[in-house]
Amino acid sequence: MSRPVVVVVGAGPGVSGSVARRFAEEGYDVALLGQDQEVIDALVPDLEARGATVGHAVADVTDEQAARDAVRRFGEHTGRIDVLHFNPSAWREADPLALTVAELLEDVALGVGALLTVVQAARPYLSAGARISVTGSMAADEPWSGAASLGVQKAGVRNLVHSLDQALAPDGIRAVSVTVRGALSREGAFTPDRVADAIWSAVARDEDGWTSEVPYGG
């Protein structure tokens, strides 16, 4: 049996990096998809030191063809994708009276639309027991007007996760959004590592009583 594989979309130094490390510690090999080669290069040695074989690709996930190709290469190389974790979102400080439609749609393309792209590309490599997870946010329920597009993104991606879970459940594949109900910090309950622990716990649940949203309140 080959080792299970997690694909981390939006790989970076924060929550996504902590998710990659958490899964590596659980015996997963890791595939990283991100926009910054230097950031990815910094993650690889740490993951390898934890026993993971690491693949990586640099792509803008709003470029549908590039993102699809990267995920397909991961799937073709490993023959399986057991967990697909989606982390991207756009932070734009603009209130709803200043935010343009073009800016909103650009942000939603990253924070919501790109999930469709990577899930559809990963689908041939997902089998019963596979999981899709998303880093959610309390901004979905309590948006801040100063960054209006973030609340739209997080509400939208959570809604999409609900639909994906319904569509994939008959094949034994489940999806979950982990709603982080606090601000990320360097200490305390909302460090990236603690959030990654919550994401691991949500993914590792039994299917009985599955819910497509799990709140994390610290």
Side-chain angles (χ1 to χ4, degrees):
M1 290 285 291
S2 60
R3 287 160 56 97
V5 176
V6 59
V7 175
V8 179
V9 179
V15 169
S16 55
S18 291
V19 167
R21 287 188 291 271
R22 186 68 170 84
F23 278 81
E25 290 169 356
E26 295 292 339
Y28 281 67
D29 288 335
V30 181
L32 303 171
L33 176 58
Q35 284 190 290
D36 190 323
Q37 186 68 61
E38 290 186 5
V39 170
I40 290 175
D41 288 344
L43 289 171
V44 171
D46 189 7
L47 296 171
E48 291 177 337
R50 297 167 194 265
T53 297
V54 185
H56 50 89
V58 173
D60 176 357
V61 292
T62 64
D63 180 336
E64 291 186 46
Q65 192 60 55
R68 287 179 189 275
D69 288 347
V71 172
R72 286 170 178 160
R73 284 195 299 271
F74 291 146
E76 289 169 0
H77 179 73
T78 62
R80 61 191 292 175
I81 294 174
D82 298 275
V83 177
L84 178 70
H85 180 70
F86 183 84
N87 191 71
S89 60
W91 173 263
R92 185 191 300 272
E93 286 201 25
D95 71 31
L97 301 181
L99 183 68
T100 69
V101 171
E103 288 170 338
L104 176 62
L105 294 179
E106 179 182 341
D107 293 350
V108 169
L110 174 65
V112 184
L115 177 60
L116 276 182
T117 301
V118 296
V119 169
Q120 291 170 2
R123 179 63 186 91
Y125 311 101
L126 302 172
S127 57
R131 300 290 183 256
I132 296 161
S133 58
V134 170
T135 306
S137 168
M138 64 180 179
D141 301 305
E142 302 172 28
W144 177 50
S145 62
S149 83
L150 182 64
V152 175
Q153 292 171 70
K154 291 305 185 181
V157 79
R158 180 175 62 185
N159 188 284
L160 181 56
V161 166
H162 292 326
S163 294
L164 286 168
D165 185 62
Q166 292 175 23
L168 293 168
D171 295 321
I173 303 165
R174 305 308 301 259
V176 61
S177 175
V178 177
T179 303
V180 180
R181 305 201 67 81
L184 291 176
S185 59
R186 294 185 179 183
E187 297 180 350
F190 293 99
T191 64
D193 285 351
R194 291 287 298 275
V195 172
D197 288 342
I199 291 168
W200 165 257
S201 296
V203 167
R205 291 174 297 159
D206 291 334
E207 191 167 355
D208 291 345
W210 183 269
T211 56
S212 53
E213 180 181 12
V214 171
Y216 173 64

